[in-house]
Amino acid sequence: MGKKKTAGTSQAKDDEKTTDSKTKLKPASAIHVRHILCEKQSKITQALEKLEGGTKFDAVAREFSEDKAKQGGNLGRQVRGSMVGPFQEAAFNLQVSSPDKPIYTNPPVKTRFGYHIIMVEKRE
């Protein structure tokens, strides 16, 4: 997979929120993570449009996510090695943000469970 880009609420912010070799992230063995999981690409695309329109991450997760983390998408604290490969790789490469102004994976990450939009609230 190529480098992950993250999206915010404005085009100007998109460029500065690209996660690449220029971005220095605090090393972490655990993260507090939220996600939106949809089985179908068409549904995750609708969720992405809501986020791009400025809707809070937790509100979009409650509306669109199809898993047990439907309460705002909160997966809680996750340690390295406890998540599926593509999800973990993307999550540990994201900058910390909040549901009000999320930095998230765009495009969504595909795993055996479906399509995920991921954001990280804390790194440990």
Side-chain angles (χ1 to χ4, degrees), residues 34-36 44 47-48 51 57 104-105 108 115-119:
R34 290 181 183 263
H35 79 148
I36 300 164
I44 202 75
L48 193 57
L51 288 170
F57 194 94
Y104 49 85
T105 52
Y115 296 89
H116 306 260
I117 300 172
I118 306 164
M119 68 156 288

Side-chain angles (χ1 to χ4, degrees), residues 1-4 86-87 89-90 107-110:
M1 294 183 98
K3 65 182 172 182
K4 297 278 179 234
F87 185 102
E89 181 181 338
V109 176
K110 173 84 169 98

Side-chain angles (χ1 to χ4, degrees), residues 3-25 51-52 54-55 57 90-91 93-107 118-120:
K3 65 182 172 182
K4 297 278 179 234
K5 287 193 176 182
T6 56
T9 57
S10 73
Q11 188 64 36
K13 290 182 180 178
D14 287 351
D15 294 334
E16 71 186 48
K17 291 182 180 178
T18 301
T19 303
D20 60 17
S21 59
K22 296 177 193 170
T23 305
K24 297 291 183 197
L25 294 173
L51 288 170
E52 290 170 345
T55 306
F57 194 94
N93 284 313
L94 280 171
Q95 295 176 14
V96 172
S97 64
S98 70
D100 293 345
K101 295 185 180 180
I103 298 172
Y104 49 85
T105 52
N106 183 10
I118 306 164
M119 68 156 288
V120 173

Side-chain angles (χ1 to χ4, degrees), residues 32-35 67-69 73-78 83 87:
H32 290 255
V33 65
R34 290 181 183 263
H35 79 148
D67 72 335
K68 65 180 180 176
N74 192 355
L75 295 175
R77 183 178 187 271
Q78 299 291 316
M83 300 164 272
F87 185 102

Side-chain angles (χ1 to χ4, degrees), residues 41-54:
Q41 189 172 13
S42 59
K43 189 169 181 181
I44 202 75
T45 300
Q46 291 175 344
L48 193 57
E49 288 171 0
K50 287 267 195 173
L51 288 170
E52 290 170 345

